[in-house]
Amino acid sequence: MSRRSGILEFAVLGLLRESPMHGYELRKRLNTSLGVFRAFSYGTLYPCLKTLVANGWLIEEPGSTPEDALAAPLAGRRAKIVYRLTAEGKEHFEELLSQTGPDAYEDEHFAARFAFFGQTSRDVRMRVLEGRRSRLEERLEKMRASLARTRERLDDYTLELQRHGMESVEREVRWLNELIESERAGRDVKGPVSEGSVQQDNTSGETGGLPRHRDSTRPDPSDDTAT
C-alpha cells in the first residue's frame, strides 16, 4: 500500500466514524476539510472504499433518504450506496490514531493527522506535534546550510524563492511551538491554523470531531451507485 493511499484510507475511516456517508459526500468532505485531498478523483476514492469494504472495515448499504428512494426508479439507476464504519473499522482507525511513527510527521500525513486531533488523545497529539517540529527544524537547518553555500551563485529571484521557503518553514515551527505550549498548559486550541492544515476546534479531552466547513463545492455530475 502506497503512503498516499494509506493516508486516504485513514481519512475515510475518520470521516465515517462521524456518520455514514455517500461516496460523493465523502469526496466533498475530503476536499473541504483536508486540503491535501483537493485534487483527488473518484477514480482514487472508489478503489479505496472497495478495499476498506473487503477488509471488513466498512459496509455498503442502500441510501435511506426519500431522495435516494426516488432517484433510482425515476432516473433508471440503482440507488446510491451509503458507507458505514464497522466495529472492526472503528477499532482499526483508533489503532491508526495511536501511531506516532515518522510517517505522522511528513507533510501530507501530518495534515490528515492534525485534522483528526479532536479524536486523538493528548499524549499522542504531543508526540506528533513534537515530531513534526523536530522534522521541520532539521529541514530548516539544511535549508540554511544550503543557502550559505550557494548564495553567491544564485540570482536575485532564486535567492528570494529560497528565502520564501525558509520563512514558510519558520512560520510553521512558530505555530507548532504555540500548539505544543497550549497542549502542555491544558488549554483549548481554537482559531485559524497555518496554511496546509485545517481549522480545528481542539479540546483537551480524548475525543472530538472535524470542524464543519461551509460547503462551496459545485454539484458533481457523478453518482454513487453499486458497481
Side-chain angles (χ1 to χ4, degrees), residues 18-29:
E18 292 187 318
S19 65
M21 298 184 199
H22 300 302
Y24 174 55
E25 185 180 2
L26 263 172
R27 185 188 179 198
K28 288 196 297 182
R29 290 294 305 280

Side-chain angles (χ1 to χ4, degrees), residues 2-223:
S2 70
R3 176 178 293 178
R4 186 166 179 81
S5 64
I7 299 170
L8 179 57
E9 289 185 5
F10 170 83
V12 168
L13 291 172
L15 289 172
L16 291 176
R17 187 183 183 186
E18 292 187 318
S19 65
M21 298 184 199
H22 300 302
Y24 174 55
E25 185 180 2
L26 263 172
R27 185 188 179 198
K28 288 196 297 182
R29 290 294 305 280
L30 288 164
N31 285 339
T32 57
S33 298
L34 290 86
V36 68
F37 297 109
R38 285 181 186 133
F40 87 109
S41 66
Y42 277 101
T44 303
L45 176 60
Y46 280 100
C48 172
L49 290 170
K50 294 301 182 184
T51 297
L52 295 175
V53 170
N55 289 339
W57 297 329
L58 302 181
I59 57 173
E60 296 175 331
E61 300 176 337
S64 58
T65 66
E67 291 81 3
D68 293 334
L70 291 173
L74 290 177
R77 299 192 301 264
R78 286 177 288 180
K80 288 185 177 181
I81 291 174
V82 171
Y83 295 90
R84 182 185 299 274
L85 194 67
T86 64
E88 292 79 7
K90 181 179 179 182
E91 182 178 348
H92 179 62
F93 178 68
E94 290 173 350
E95 179 183 345
L96 294 176
L97 274 182
S98 69
Q99 295 178 3
T100 59
D103 280 351
Y105 316 147
E106 299 300 334
D107 295 344
E108 291 186 346
H109 208 157
F110 174 75
R113 287 298 302 268
F114 188 82
F116 294 96
F117 262 23
Q119 302 181 38
T120 306
S121 63
R122 183 188 296 278
D123 63 324
V124 172
R125 293 197 302 260
M126 282 292 296
R127 287 198 294 271
V128 173
L129 290 172
E130 290 174 341
R132 174 66 174 174
R133 180 177 63 180
S134 177
R135 181 63 52 86
L136 289 183
E137 287 174 341
E138 292 173 2
R139 184 183 302 175
L140 191 58
E141 183 178 349
K142 291 178 181 178
M143 294 172 73
R144 287 169 174 162
S146 175
L147 183 60
R149 290 193 306 269
T150 61
R151 180 188 299 272
E152 299 303 324
R153 301 194 299 270
L154 299 178
D155 61 63
D156 290 343
Y157 295 102
T158 304
L159 184 61
E160 191 61 30
L161 182 63
Q162 292 205 10
R163 286 174 175 164
H164 174 69
M166 289 175 54
E167 290 171 358
S168 297
V169 177
E170 288 169 346
R171 282 196 300 271
E172 186 170 350
V173 170
R174 290 195 296 270
W175 172 69
L176 289 166
N177 286 335
E178 293 172 0
L179 289 175
I180 290 169
E181 180 183 353
S182 293
E183 290 286 350
R184 286 176 176 163
R187 296 195 298 267
D188 290 349
V189 179
K190 295 183 179 181
V193 298
S194 67
E195 183 177 355
S197 300
V198 297
Q199 182 172 334
Q200 178 69 30
D201 184 1
N202 188 17
T203 67
S204 60
E206 298 291 318
T207 61
L210 282 173
R212 297 295 187 269
H213 295 255
R214 182 172 59 86
D215 180 19
S216 58
T217 306
R218 296 177 60 186
D220 193 302
S222 302
D223 175 62

